[in-house]
Amino acid sequence: MVKQAVQALAERQRIALTLSKFEGLSYQEIADTMGMSVKAVKSLLSRARVNLKLLLQPYMDIGAPPTAVELDDDEAEQGESE
Amino acid sequence: MNDYNSVDEDDELLTAYLDGELNDQERRAVQHRLADDAKLRQRLAELQRAWDLLDELPDTPVNQEFTKSTLELVVQRVEKDVKQVSVTRDGIRLGWLRGMPLIVVLCGAGLFAGVAGGSVWRWNNNRSKLPTWMSSQTSRD
């Protein structure tokens, strides 16, 4: 379930999430790695967390698999980093 | 909801708070708000819970067949290397044996040259000891 939720995230959100959660990088380090501003990383990770929460909400509530949820994408962060 | 401006400031703040990315002043401000606002606390808990669920992601199991085939490849490679070393050693041994006749011939030639050279030297040495008339007779022969 959790894996499905992570895979459902936009690519940049997934990368930022991985770098933050599993690699333990700071926002600055993620910004350097992904070629973005710290502000954009902050926004990206916020979206990742919120989207993850939306995707996993049913699972957290009643143990049901994640349902199709309209997610925030990260087009804005893409523009921000350029 | 894909506009950059649509990012909820509180979500962003709470995320940064959970990630430990706020400075002392910002952190204290969030903590004060959390103390007063039950909805914000609920929001924080949900964000944290979803994040914590990531810990349940299993490590990617290594495919058994992949492991087996990889080990088989390693074993095959090691066996091949061992055979190559063995063949090389045999080759060196056989090569040495193939060179034996030449060595024997060279040793024989050396022995013959030594014996012949010694005989000539002895002959010349002895000839100088002969009486003059006999030596001249010999040289004339």
Side-chain angles (χ1 to χ4, degrees):
Chain A
M1 309 298 171
V2 181
K3 192 177 176 183
Q4 280 177 16
V6 172
Q7 284 172 343
L9 295 175
E11 188 184 11
R12 293 163 70 84
Q13 288 176 24
R14 199 164 56 242
I15 293 169
L17 176 151
T18 305
L19 293 174
S20 174
K21 174 71 179 177
F22 300 110
E23 300 296 328
L25 298 190
S26 68
Y27 284 10
Q28 182 63 61
E29 290 169 326
I30 295 170
D32 293 342
T33 304
M34 296 182 72
M36 305 170 75
S37 68
V38 173
K39 186 175 176 0
V41 169
K42 197 174 174 181
S43 171
L44 198 58
L45 280 169
S46 175
R47 285 172 191 276
R49 277 213 194 232
V50 170
N51 286 334
L52 208 56
K53 185 191 78 175
L54 291 172
L55 284 161
L56 293 173
Q57 195 71 55
Y59 176 62
M60 290 191 290
D61 291 344
I62 55 169
T67 51
V69 175
E70 190 177 337
L71 301 176
D72 287 352
D73 63 26
D74 51 333
E75 286 176 8
E77 286 80 8
Q78 178 87 32
E80 173 81 9
S81 64
E82 287 169 358
Chain B
M1 281 179 65
N2 57 14
D3 182 4
Y4 176 74
N5 296 324
S6 72
V7 175
D8 189 291
E9 283 185 13
D10 280 345
D11 281 335
E12 209 173 271
L13 195 66
L14 291 174
T15 299
Y17 174 74
L18 290 170
D19 287 338
E21 291 281 343
L22 297 181
N23 61 37
D24 288 347
Q25 190 181 351
E26 289 169 329
R27 196 173 61 251
R28 274 196 294 273
V30 170
Q31 285 168 345
H32 278 124
R33 280 189 61 194
L34 285 169
D36 297 336
D37 190 339
K39 281 188 177 177
L40 198 66
R41 283 200 301 274
Q42 172 70 20
R43 224 158 134 179
L44 181 78
E46 286 171 355
L47 287 174
Q48 183 58 54
R49 192 165 172 219
W51 202 246
D52 288 344
L53 282 174
L54 293 175
D55 292 329
E56 292 182 10
L57 280 175
D59 290 336
T60 307
V62 179
N63 184 305
Q64 293 288 326
E65 277 303 308
F66 174 78
T67 307
K68 191 181 167 195
S69 59
T70 305
L71 282 172
E72 282 172 354
L73 281 174
V74 171
V75 169
Q76 281 174 9
R77 183 64 189 263
V78 168
E79 283 177 350
K80 192 180 169 188
D81 287 349
V82 167
K83 276 179 188 170
Q84 271 184 343
V85 169
S86 176
V87 166
T88 308
R89 282 183 181 163
D90 288 347
I92 290 168
R93 218 174 285 141
L94 290 172
W96 191 80
L97 286 171
R98 276 197 294 271
M100 274 300 284
L102 179 65
I103 293 169
V104 169
V105 169
L106 287 173
C107 286
L111 189 65
F112 175 77
V115 170
S119 298
V120 170
W121 180 83
R122 266 200 309 276
W123 162 249
N124 283 332
N125 201 26
N126 291 337
R127 198 176 61 172
S128 63
K129 292 175 186 170
L130 290 173
T132 315
W133 65 268
M134 212 172 170
S135 177
S136 61
Q137 179 75 26
T138 309
S139 62
R140 209 180 305 131
D141 293 342

